[in-house]
Structure formats: structure tokens, C-alpha cells
Amino acid sequence: MTPEGSALLRRGLNALRLGATDDQMALFARLLDLLQEGNERVNLTALKTEEDIVLKHFVDSASCLNGGHLDGDLRVVDIGTGAGFPSLPLAILRPELRITPLDSIRKKVDFVRATAQALGLDTVHPMVGRAETLGRSPEHRQRYDRVVVRAVAALPILMELALPLLAEGGLLVAQKGAITEEELDAGANAAAEVGGEVEEATPFLLPVLGDARTLVVVRKVRATPARYPRREGVPTQQPLF
Ligand code: SAM
């Protein structure tokens, strides 16, 4: 990472009131290299420049920590992690989290696994699969303290993908762009259907760039009915609301 990239990352993290040790900064620098190298072999992310990766992947992922919902020794699943976001920045900044980055695309998960190993992030255990499949498997259903998700689907779809995986009392932390009242209302209705309650939808601006973001936090308040999640693809094709 160039000195400018490093200064940008520190500026972004400081704006989120997050510090980073020199070791954490070195891990981010290595992650940047691996992502840029990996992108030359397989198409992992549309973001290619240092500035874009630092701000739109690293700082943007770190903003999931706003509000302290991911503090502590928690079992976390990251649905639709892609090239490892927000999982990898979260694992660097919060080594006490036990994170399962999940994606249905094997080559992306292979990259996340190899990268976590190269960075020595042994709290990260990537999996290939669909959230709908995990949500029906006894090994994963209602087993997680937190679901994190960034840039995967509209709120009503996310509710059906995420809530079945949460233990009662657990939280979905969804990092979204600007959302409409309609999406939030539909998300709240879907949440109620699958055992959740929207606790907050907090708008904020991404540091440095000023892009609009919303952190939506949903609590699992009762068991998800056995009929959810519906079979693979149905939550997306026929959203609950
Ligand atoms: N979260 C990453 C990020 O913020 O950069 C990746 C976002 S990418 C736009 C969406 C990813 O979600 C894709 O890699 C896709 O394969 C994955 N995905 C979509 N639906 C999924 C599902 N039902 N189960 C698992 N992965 C899913």
C-alpha cells in the first residue's frame, strides 16, 4: 500500500472512531496486494484502484462496526461475501469474532480461504453454499449470534435469507446504501414473518467519499417458522413483501 493509501485508510477508520494497530495496517496492505493479484486471475471485484479498494471495500466494510453490534466473542455468518467483504476487514479489526464468509460461488470462496490463510486469520472459516440451504440445515439453522451482509439483496429478501440462521436474541446487521421508506416497510413486514423485529435503520455517510449508507439492525425475537427459508432462489424470485 502506498503512503497515500495508508493515510486514506487511517483517515477513514478514524472517522468511524476505529483505531488500527501497525499490525492491522500491515494486514490491510497485504489484503490489498492479494486482492489486486487475485483480480488479475479471476474476476473478484469491479473495484481495482487502491483508493477504491481502501474506501469502498475496507472502510465501507469497517462501517458495519458502527453502533457496537459486532463487539465480543460472536459466531458471525457473512451471507454473499464475494471476495470477502465485510468478513476480511472485520476479522482484521475484531480478531475475537468467529466468522463464516458464505458465498454460492466457489472461486470466490476459494480466494477468501486462501487469503485468510495467507493473512493468518484463523478465526475465518469460509463456506461454499447458499443461505437458503444453510438455513434449513440443522448444523447451521438458528446457530449464529450475528448475520452480516453487504450489497446482496433488498431487505425483504435478506430477512428470509438471514433470520433462519440466527439464534433467538441474535442480530442481523445489514449494511445498505440509501434505502426508501417502501423498502424499509417491506423489510419490517418480512422480518415479522420470519421471527425478526427491525431495531434500527441508521443513515450515515461513508467517510471521505460522503456516499449515503444505512445500517439496518434486526433482532431475532422468536423462532423462524419451519417453512422458511423457502427453496433456493425463491426468496429472490418471490420476495415475502
Ligand atoms: N458482500 C460482498 C461485497 O460487499 O463486496 C459481495 C457482494 S456481491 C454483489 C453479492 C454476492 O452474494 C455474490 O458473490 C453472490 O454469489 C452472493 N449471493 C447472492 N445470493 C446468495 C445466497 N442466497 N447465498 C449465498 N450467496 C449469495
Side-chain angles (χ1 to χ4, degrees):
M1 193 181 290
T2 64
E4 293 76 23
S6 183
L8 205 55
L9 178 56
R10 280 215 184 271
R11 196 174 142 206
L13 293 176
N14 284 342
L16 296 170
R17 300 206 181 87
L18 297 167
T21 63
D22 289 347
D23 286 351
Q24 287 168 324
M25 290 297 289
L27 288 173
F28 276 115
R30 184 90 182 97
L31 176 56
L32 173 73
D33 287 345
L34 292 170
L35 198 58
Q36 288 181 319
E37 276 166 37
N39 234 357
E40 283 171 18
R41 282 177 280 117
V42 273
N43 190 16
L44 292 165
T45 162
L47 303 181
K48 308 241 184 297
T49 67
E50 177 183 72
E51 181 178 330
D52 270 355
I53 292 172
V54 163
L55 293 175
K56 296 183 187 167
H57 275 326
F58 297 173
V59 176
D60 197 62
S61 293
S63 73
C64 293
L65 296 170
N66 282 356
H69 304 293
L70 296 167
D71 291 347
D73 172 13
L74 301 165
R75 295 160 300 175
V76 184
V77 56
D78 170 13
I79 296 177
T81 192
F85 299 101
S87 283
L88 295 171
L90 293 179
I92 291 173
L93 292 166
R94 291 285 183 269
E96 61 282 10
L97 296 174
R98 286 168 282 156
I99 307 183
T100 302
L102 173 75
D103 206 285
S104 51
I105 299 178
R106 179 171 298 277
K107 69 171 188 190
K108 294 189 180 181
V109 176
D110 287 346
F111 170 81
V112 178
R113 184 175 296 111
T115 301
Q117 271 165 12
L119 299 180
L121 298 172
D122 55 12
T123 51
V124 175
H125 299 284
M127 272 188 71
V128 182
R130 292 192 64 99
E132 299 92 316
T133 315
L134 257 67
R136 286 196 307 269
S137 122
E139 217 186 310
H140 296 280
R141 185 179 174 89
Q142 306 197 145
R143 299 270 177 197
Y144 292 89
D145 304 303
R146 300 287 184 270
V147 174
V148 290
V149 69
R150 188 189 81 148
V152 172
L155 282 177
I157 301 167
L158 290 181
M159 299 302 168
E160 186 171 357
L161 299 180
L163 271 287
L165 293 166
L166 286 170
E168 277 182 55
L171 296 176
L172 162 64
V173 178
Q175 207 263 28
K176 304 273 300 170
I179 51 172
T180 60
E181 280 297 317
E182 288 75 24
E183 182 178 352
L184 191 56
D185 286 350
N189 288 333
E193 179 72 15
V194 293
E197 223 165 64
V198 176
E199 284 203 338
E200 59 179 83
T202 308
F204 65 99
L205 298 178
L206 190 64
V208 186
L209 293 175
D211 295 352
R213 295 284 183 273
T214 313
L215 201 67
V216 179
V217 178
V218 182
R219 189 170 296 278
K220 176 82 169 260
V221 291
R222 70 189 85 81
T224 300
R227 61 185 177 280
Y228 299 120
R230 292 168 291 168
R231 66 174 196 284
E232 293 190 4
V234 178
T236 311
Q237 286 149 16
Q238 296 163 32
L240 285 172
F241 285 88

